[in-house]
Amino acid sequence: MSRLRFRRLRGDGPAALLFLAPSAAGFAVFYAIPFAMGLAYSFTDQTIHGSFAGLRNYEALLASGSFRKAAANSLLFTGAGVPLLIAVSLLLALLLNRQIWLRNVLQTAFVLPLVVPVASVVMIWQIFFDWNGTLNAWMHALHGGRTDWLKSDWSMDVLILMYLWKNIGYDMILFLAGLQSIPKDYYETALIEGAGRLRRLFHITLVYLTPTMFFVLLISIVNSFKVFRETYLLAGDYPYDRIYMLQHYMNNMFVNLDIQKLTAAAVLMVGCMIVLAAGLLTAERRFRDFTDS
Amino acid sequence: MNKLPLLPRLALTAALALLALVMAVPVVLTFTNSLMTEREIGDNYDLLGQMTNAAAGHKDDFVNLKLIPDWLSFGQYDEVLVQTPKFLHMYWNSAGMVAPIIAGQTAAASLAAYALSKLRFRGRDKLFMVYLMTMLMPFQVTLVPNYMVIERLGLMNSEAAIVLPGIFGAFGVFMLRQFMTGIPYTYMEAAKIDGAGHLTIFTRVILPLVKPGIAALTVLLFADYWNMVEQPLIFLQDAAKQPLSIYLAQINQDARGVGFAASVLYMTPMVLLFLYAESYFIEGIQLSGIKG
């Protein structure tokens, strides 16, 4: 059986090679080879004619205060933003999946921010969150204190808010599709057996939404890195400490020509992503075995 | 879909509509502010970026985010479109980079996605994992070596330094592969029995079915690259080659008056494309997300 399968697997090899060639060639030149080079640089003491430096770059990196700050901020942003985004958009999808009016109009309105370029609404964010901005005017009217939202510990919350604003629509659409692909008779059977609302949510909806959840999770993580644009356009190269992200750190290392630290940081980041992705895929496989049996 | 009685249905619709309105506010404000006179903009937002002391309790110490202009004016548009030739030039720069990226990535990615979803060969899943991992990487991860590769290819400070890596971005491969995985093998088998080769199956069977996926990818790539910030900052030193996204950030700081009109013009193609392709876009995104 396994030999037969093996032969079948090799069967499309030549055709696959042709189909993959354009993408794989460009991919190798612009991503794979650069990454391998980066990996090599991270172990040398200088980029050109460097000699092997062992783990010294990594030690220096981990000892650097600004790296630790940036890594902690990025971790906090993704760690808080992604689950929050998923929860809110799932809730929205569940609500939109009921019989309501204006369904299509609402859906369009929620997705619209996804296609609005960051640079074109940045000015509104600035006006809203500025020291003299609208939010402070409201706080003042309510006799609250004045805060410089983007230059205080609130800045992280502001960023998370922007991330939610932009990505809710995308995740919501994905969840809606997932919801609609769950067969209706599962719910009917559950109803006949007397399952309550929560039971149906946890034992049917969330279980059969799991494959969608993996996809949403991946996309949301990818999009959480793009928040760098908002931060950059709002606050430049060196924003307030709380929103100084890994990307800022890496960009600044690049500008300062500290290539070794930058590549070491890149390798560490890739390492984390591999662990995360591998964990996710294992979980997905387990889940599939579980639902198949 | 659950049946809802009238009252809860009304309340739910109203609540969701309110949320949708709040979400639309930044876009609406940008638009209405673009129709104000420069003077009004100046009056409203002069205090931005200054640390004035509000302790004295002057209400006027706050800027006034205004919804309705006092006077309708197209002065900002005139300023941007007629008086500032640079703006249209930057617009053209953006379009000149984004169009080839979309065309190229869609073509290269749909071919690769076919192999990764419909052909059987050794190492297929591992290769897909590599694409997936690359998609998860922020731009900065391959920044240095990428810089060197581009320098060695003699592409520094040219649009190609942005376009070529863009064409081979992994997102298209990932998304179209997800989409194609959902297409049943039976469709292909019928064509195979008729003696079709893979190229025919790809062009005649798969591609027509993947249209919504390609539409969705086009909109997403457009939104992403129309918006690019990191790549041009690093690879284009020449200010005249910068795309609109970078230029707009400068306008917003130097001349707030025209910033709004520039912003509206900047988001218009994106929003129009989205509204035009919306049903395809939604369908495409949905079909790529269901199958794991």
Side-chain angles (χ1 to χ4, degrees), chain B residues 10-31:
Chain B
L10 195 67
L12 186 58
T13 308
L16 288 176
L18 190 69
L19 183 63
L21 266 179
V22 171
M23 286 186 62
V25 161
V27 179
V28 174
L29 278 175
T30 307
F31 179 70

Side-chain angles (χ1 to χ4, degrees), chain A residues 234-245:
Chain A
L234 273 170
D237 286 328
Y238 290 95
Y240 183 75
D241 260 16
R242 199 91 200 96
I243 48 174
Y244 187 77
M245 303 283 182

